Amino acid sequence: MSAVNRTTDKRHKSMESERLAILDSYHIMDSGPEEAFDRITRFAADIFSAPMASVAFFDEQREWFKSKVGITESHADRSVSLCRNLIEGKEFVVIEDTECVPELVNNPLVSGDPSLRFYASAPLVAPGGMVLGAIWIGDTVARFRTTRSQLHQLRNMADIVMSEMELRREIALREQAQKNAAIDRSNLNLTLALSNTASFRLDYTTGMIEWGGAYMKIWGEDASESLAELPAALDRIHPEDLASVQEAMNLASAPGEKFETRFRIVMPSGEIRWVEAYGDYIEVNGRPTLTGLNKDITHSVDQQEQLKLHTRELHHRLRNLFATLQSIMALTKKSATSIDDYIERINSRLSALNRAQQILLDTNFVTGSFTALVRDLGRTYPRVRWTGVDFPLSENAMVSMSLVLNELATNAAKYGALTSDKGLVKIDWTIESEDGADIVNLRWSERGGPKAAAVPIGAGFGSSLIDHSITRNLRGEIIRDWTADGLICTITFPVSEYGGY
């Protein structure tokens, strides 16, 4: 094969592939009977008084008869089709007598059924110029004198067939687009429902609202019926937020503006929910429409409010902590005997404060575990033993008890039981109910230390700190008993419903 022939063959194959793709886009091949095409075929047979007529299309192998008159077969082999040459020529094919055409003598359509002697066809040309098939008429006897007017009529019928094809394809495309749109709407509603988001479309002309997504979860189970119109939906908005919502709706209609607002809704049960709304003002079929999304942000708003409360509480407690630090530093300075003594006492008391704050931080910074406080003290002073049920303490009570236990342990390490390798400190406590209030009874007992010659005279800052923390901060009492074996302290204080004072 020469280079020219190869190029021509390649171009022919490319054009045929394109033609078949266009034919496939009409979804016509092997489709069922349709009255629109049958009517045209019958009309052609009647006008030309032809016993045979057909609207046919060509795929790779066949001439397939979409509609037919006087033909029993549903298709013919494309290689024997009398109009196969019009695919490239795009012109009429008229054979007045097939017996006068030598190459058709052995054609099965001529020599066998349906014994064609006369044949005339007009191409079915797609808008891009590709020939998809033909409308043809045939007879078992030869016909001569086919007029130009008759051929013009046949071409008009071919044009009608292609108009019907285009209409058929347009209808199919619209139906598929509607199906796709329905699927998209279903998928959108599912996505919105899973994300707890509602969609809305408000027709300003009718005042009707079309809901979608998780609208019942946000606006209530009755939303589709009770809130189908704008006035009913506005009635569900909190009175204090109604004006701002209406202002946002009016503003949305201005060029370049969006609908964006946050408001509360009051449910029929009295429950209040926070809703965030976003949307756009558009024209739908010439009617002003507001369309957008609603999101339930109640949990987020509650968290923000809780964060504000915690922030204020933290600020308040930090101020209290700094005030406590300033007081401790000032009073420690007065009672210290030297710089080293001052540093030692300050470090000990700051460590006690740090332990209390760390325990609070490990929980919720509002309350802390008393057991954790005593356990932490035992890590600093290994010969401290303890037993008792756990109970929560508020932040102020945690700081006070941390300072009390630290002062008692520091004194025991300097003067009491913990100065001796055999000395021990035991802390045990119980909680009893008195007049409907929970009272902590704590006992601090030392043994194994040096024998006390007498009860100490006077009180330093450490003792004052203990007394102040128990009587003022904890609203409790302390009783000291210096026995021959060591100090015994009995401390009692109430525990409030919030975990101490």
Side-chain angles (χ1 to χ4, degrees):
M1 181 182 291
S2 68
V4 173
N5 289 337
R6 283 196 298 271
T7 301
T8 302
D9 185 62
K10 185 176 181 181
R11 184 183 301 112
H12 174 78
K13 289 181 179 179
S14 176
M15 291 180 63
E16 178 64 4
S17 296
E18 182 181 355
R19 190 191 73 82
L20 291 173
I22 294 173
L23 175 64
D24 186 61
S25 71
Y26 286 93
H27 301 286
I28 192 72
M29 297 299 290
D30 297 310
S31 60
E34 296 179 53
E35 178 59 27
F37 293 96
D38 291 341
R39 186 166 53 248
I40 297 172
T41 306
R42 289 195 301 267
F43 187 53
D46 290 343
I47 284 183
F48 292 102
S49 299
M52 289 173 280
S54 175
V55 172
F57 296 95
F58 295 98
D59 62 12
E60 282 186 287
Q61 305 294 333
R62 302 174 297 163
E63 177 187 1
W64 177 73
F65 306 130
K66 168 63 178 175
S67 178
K68 61 192 179 194
V69 171
I71 307 171
T72 58
E73 299 295 331
S74 63
H75 67 276
D77 194 291
R78 181 173 164 180
S79 63
V80 302
S81 172
L82 301 187
C83 60
R84 65 183 184 276
N85 293 330
L86 62 69
I87 291 179
E88 293 185 4
K90 303 179 184 179
E91 295 295 336
F92 294 100
V93 173
V94 179
I95 303 173
E96 295 179 327
D97 187 355
T98 58
E99 290 186 354
C100 297
V101 182
E103 60 266 28
L104 296 180
V105 172
N106 296 320
N107 190 298
L109 299 178
V110 176
S111 59
D113 188 47
S115 302
L116 284 169
R117 288 287 301 278
F118 170 76
Y119 179 87
S121 66
L124 301 176
V125 185
M130 291 293 180
V131 176
L132 306 182
I135 179 171
W136 60 264
I137 57 174
D139 203 341
T140 56
V141 297
R143 292 188 183 190
F144 299 96
R145 300 176 184 171
T146 302
T147 67
R148 188 178 298 276
S149 174
Q150 289 174 318
L151 294 178
H152 182 70
Q153 287 179 316
L154 196 60
R155 181 183 290 279
N156 286 341
M157 291 183 186
D159 291 340
I160 293 173
V161 170
M162 283 310 304
S163 295
E164 190 63 35
M165 288 277 285
E166 288 296 318
L167 177 61
R168 184 181 185 277
R169 181 166 69 169
E170 182 64 26
I171 292 174
L173 290 174
R174 288 188 179 184
E175 289 177 348
Q176 187 60 48
Q178 290 173 348
K179 291 179 181 178
N180 293 340
I183 293 173
D184 289 341
R185 283 195 299 271
S186 177
N187 291 337
L188 176 60
N189 278 332
L190 178 60
T191 301
L192 292 175
L194 292 175
S195 63
N196 293 327
T197 303
S199 65
F200 67 88
R201 176 179 289 185
L202 167 62
D203 187 327
Y204 277 117
T205 302
T206 64
M208 300 299 294
I209 304 176
E210 180 183 341
W211 296 98
Y215 67 94
M216 288 192 293
K217 191 171 183 180
I218 295 175
W219 287 84
E221 295 292 334
D222 63 334
S224 59
E225 297 179 1
S226 300
L227 306 183
E229 299 184 27
L230 178 59
L234 293 178
D235 283 343
R236 191 156 290 187
I237 296 175
H238 195 288
E240 294 179 3
D241 300 334
L242 181 58
S244 63
V245 172
Q246 292 175 321
E247 181 181 357
M249 291 173 62
N250 294 333
L251 183 63
S253 62
E257 295 294 338
K258 300 284 186 181
F259 175 64
E260 184 174 349
T261 186
R262 174 184 291 195
F263 55 90
R264 289 163 292 177
I265 57 177
V266 183
M267 307 300 291
S269 64
E271 176 191 359
I272 295 179
R273 295 178 184 172
W274 276 94
V275 175
E276 196 164 49
Y278 298 93
D280 284 304
Y281 178 90
I282 59 175
E283 296 283 336
V284 178
N285 298 324
R287 295 148 72 109
T289 303
L290 183 64
T291 180
L293 301 173
N294 288 161
K295 181 76 174 178
D296 187 341
I297 58 169
T298 306
H299 181 64
S300 175
V301 171
D302 288 344
Q303 284 185 322
Q304 291 175 5
E305 290 300 318
Q306 195 65 32
L307 180 60
K308 290 180 182 178
L309 289 174
H310 286 169
T311 301
R312 287 196 293 267
E313 180 67 18
L314 179 60
H315 178 68
H316 172 71
R317 291 182 178 181
L318 285 175
R319 290 180 61 186
N320 288 344
L321 180 60
F322 281 121
T324 301
L325 286 173
Q326 289 177 332
S327 177
I328 288 175
M329 292 174 68
L331 294 173
T332 301
K333 179 181 177 182
K334 292 181 179 180
S335 61
T337 58
S338 65
I339 293 295
D340 291 340
D341 182 44
Y342 174 77
I343 293 173
E344 180 183 355
R345 294 188 186 194
I346 282 294
N347 284 338
S348 175
R349 287 159 184 164
L350 291 182
S351 295
L353 289 174
N354 181 62
R355 285 195 295 269
Q357 296 301 320
Q358 186 60 53
I359 293 171
L360 290 166
L361 188 61
D362 289 341
T363 52
N364 55 18
F365 210 72
V366 176
T367 61
S369 164
F370 181 72
T371 298
L373 189 62
V374 178
R375 184 187 298 115
D376 192 67
L377 181 73
R379 294 191 184 101
T380 305
Y381 299 96
R383 292 199 305 280
V384 172
R385 306 288 185 265
W386 57 271
T387 179
V389 295
D390 193 18
F391 63 93
L393 282 176
S394 69
E395 186 264 347
N396 288 337
M398 281 290 291
V399 170
S400 297
M401 283 306 301
S402 178
L403 291 173
V404 168
L405 295 176
N406 179 74
E407 292 300 324
L408 289 172
T410 299
N411 289 335
K414 287 185 175 182
Y415 314 111
L418 299 183
T419 59
S420 170
D421 293 339
K422 296 181 180 181
L424 291 174
V425 172
K426 184 178 181 182
I427 308 172
D428 58 81
W429 67 91
T430 59
I431 301 178
E432 300 176 359
S433 180
E434 295 182 7
D435 298 328
D438 289 335
I439 304 297
V440 178
N441 291 301
L442 183 144
R443 178 183 172 90
W444 171 286
S445 58
E446 302 179 20
R447 61 182 175 84
K451 303 298 182 180
V455 176
I457 300 173
F461 172 65
S463 296
S464 299
L465 180 59
I466 292 173
D467 292 342
H468 179 85
S469 297
I470 293 174
T471 59
R472 297 287 297 276
N473 294 346
L474 296 174
R475 300 180 186 177
E477 296 179 355
I478 179 171
I479 299 174
R480 297 178 178 87
D481 185 11
W482 278 271
T483 68
D485 201 33
L487 174 64
I488 297 176
C489 281
T490 303
I491 301 172
T492 59
F493 61 92
V495 179
S496 74
E497 58 180 316
Y498 304 107
Y501 290 96

